[in-house]
Amino acid sequence: MFENLQDKLNKAFKTLKGQGRITDINVAATIKEVRRALTDADVNYKVAKEVTDRVKEKALDRKVLIAVEPGQLFVKIVQEELTELMGSQAVPINTKGDPAVILIAGLQGSGKTTFSGKLAAYLKKGGKGVMLVAADIYRPAAIDQLKVLGEQVGVEVYAEPENKNAVEIARNGIAHARKTGKKIVIVDTAGRLAVDEQMMQEIQDVKAAINPSETLFVVDSMTGQDAVNTAKTFNERLNFDGVVLTKLDGDSRGGAALSIRAVVEKPIKFISTGEKMEALDVFYPDRMASRILGMGDVISLVEKAQQAFDEDEAKRINAKMRANKFDFSDFLSQLQQIKKMGNIKDLLGMIPGMGNMIKDLDLDNDSFAPIEAIINSMTPKERSNPDLIDGSRKKRIAAGSGTTIQQVNNLIKQFDEMRKMMKKMNGMQASGKLNKMMR
């Protein structure tokens, strides 16, 4: 996410690194590179200029504090301005109403239907009954797609396949939600390949008929500045409440995320970074600014871990670690929990300093596939007691997993080293040495 922008901004900041103080000359050179980085990322030129002008003014106005280098101070100022540009703070979705009605709008192909499923899964965690309404009457597979997603997340989908009146479907869906005690209704509407009068009028009619608590505009972030222009057109007709940026994991430019708040004057409420139903995040401007600048996002990483890891499973694993009984079955369980958190490269990028280290590495969740295949090819006894795995067993495991004996050897060696480290840590903790070291 934002790899190219991050790289160009870091190069821009190098102008100030090693400088003893901030001056008109070195700030001007840095500002020029920052503005170029933003416009290359498809940020609206007017927005990029306004931001860099404010950064320049602040940089020249601030005195460099003791122990803070000019480069560090400049990065801090840019972080503040990017945070302000993207909205300063997270804006929650409005779920008040009986039921609360959330209207989803956007162009075809922007990811509206997938987002509707993700939003249903997200809101369901709050304990309220959620229902999806299939009001896309044009795209043949839209109803079927929404039903599949609804089944995945355990949410009812209301549909009228023979009805070609989107307003009636939306109204009937809300009425059905009231009868069945659902507290939140998400209405997925039709998109078009381009903005046209028929589309705009229909979505306006639907909104007027159902009076939603919240109207969200879903936009494909990979379309860059076009996404901003489309959002502006929709907002003029629909006056939506917030923006959802989809496909942000594939966007190397990021111009939509940086421009849309300033141009449309509506908050970004969610970002979507994959096809999995869990791949939906509340948009935090300060956290996103930190990630863009390669400063990581530990808070979001911890939140993802809390959502993905089962508390009872975590206690069980912890107990086995303390008893020095952690085995390959436990290791496989942990890998599967990590995969639930999202794309592995994005997760590592949330760790401060890791962004630049992994930017050229081809990392994804498929990287775990050989490890999982090797463990799955072991017998239950071999998983619980790796010492049993001799040469002939390794040959069988390699053949069964489609890997090489060397890969099997490497995994067993790394696992053995990990267990030795756990045992050592347990011994230090038992003797009190670990507590002394941490004081």
Side-chain angles (χ1 to χ4, degrees), residues 7-22:
D7 189 44
K8 288 178 180 178
L9 286 174
N10 284 334
K11 286 178 181 176
F13 298 145
K14 283 182 181 177
T15 308
L16 279 173
K17 285 184 178 178
Q19 298 287 332
R21 61 195 180 94
I22 288 177

Side-chain angles (χ1 to χ4, degrees), residues 60-240:
L60 293 174
D61 188 50
R62 289 192 191 181
K63 293 181 180 179
V64 178
L65 303 174
I66 295 172
V68 177
E69 297 177 359
Q72 294 172 331
L73 180 61
F74 193 85
V75 170
K76 176 62 177 171
I77 294 169
V78 172
Q79 182 194 24
E80 291 171 358
E81 284 302 319
L82 289 180
T83 301
E84 181 71 24
L85 175 66
M86 293 185 286
S88 298
Q89 58 188 5
V91 179
I93 188 172
N94 180 13
T95 55
K96 293 179 181 178
D98 189 23
V101 178
I102 302 169
L103 180 64
I104 311 299
L107 293 179
Q108 187 174 314
S110 62
K112 286 187 295 79
T113 304
T114 302
F115 167 70
S116 296
K118 290 182 179 183
L119 183 61
Y122 170 82
L123 294 173
K124 186 185 173 186
K125 291 176 184 176
K128 292 184 178 180
V130 182
M131 191 181 81
L132 288 158
V133 175
D136 184 345
I137 58 176
Y138 300 100
R139 188 163 63 92
I143 295 175
D144 291 337
Q145 182 187 358
L146 199 63
K147 283 183 176 179
V148 169
L149 295 174
E151 190 174 337
Q152 280 183 30
V153 301
V155 168
E156 181 185 356
V157 176
Y158 180 87
E160 297 180 13
E162 303 304 318
N163 193 344
K164 297 302 178 185
N165 188 314
V167 172
E168 282 185 9
I169 295 170
R171 277 178 176 161
N172 294 343
I174 294 167
H176 179 73
R178 286 197 180 97
K179 286 180 184 177
T180 55
K182 301 296 191 301
K183 297 300 180 184
I184 301 175
V185 180
I186 301 169
V187 182
D188 179 34
T189 62
R192 301 286 191 281
L193 294 174
V195 175
D196 60 52
E197 182 57 31
Q198 182 187 355
M199 175 194 187
M200 302 309 286
Q201 190 57 54
E202 182 182 85
I203 192 68
Q204 278 185 289
D205 292 343
V206 172
K207 182 178 180 181
I210 65 175
N211 190 26
S213 315
E214 183 92 0
T215 302
L216 296 176
F217 175 71
V218 180
V219 63
D220 181 347
S221 61
M222 292 184 73
T223 58
Q225 196 54 43
D226 285 342
V228 180
N229 296 332
T230 304
K232 189 176 181 182
T233 302
F234 262 81
N235 191 49
E236 288 168 355
R237 296 288 295 270
L238 203 57
N239 190 25
F240 53 71

Side-chain angles (χ1 to χ4, degrees), residues 9 12-13 15-16 24-38 48-49 51-60 74 77-78:
L9 286 174
F13 298 145
T15 308
L16 279 173
D24 287 357
I25 296 173
N26 57 33
V27 164
T30 306
I31 285 293
K32 183 179 178 181
E33 291 304 314
V34 170
R35 185 177 297 164
R36 181 178 294 161
L38 292 173
K49 187 176 186 307
V51 168
T52 49
D53 284 348
R54 287 197 298 269
V55 170
K56 181 179 180 180
E57 184 180 343
K58 286 185 177 181
L60 293 174
F74 193 85
I77 294 169
V78 172

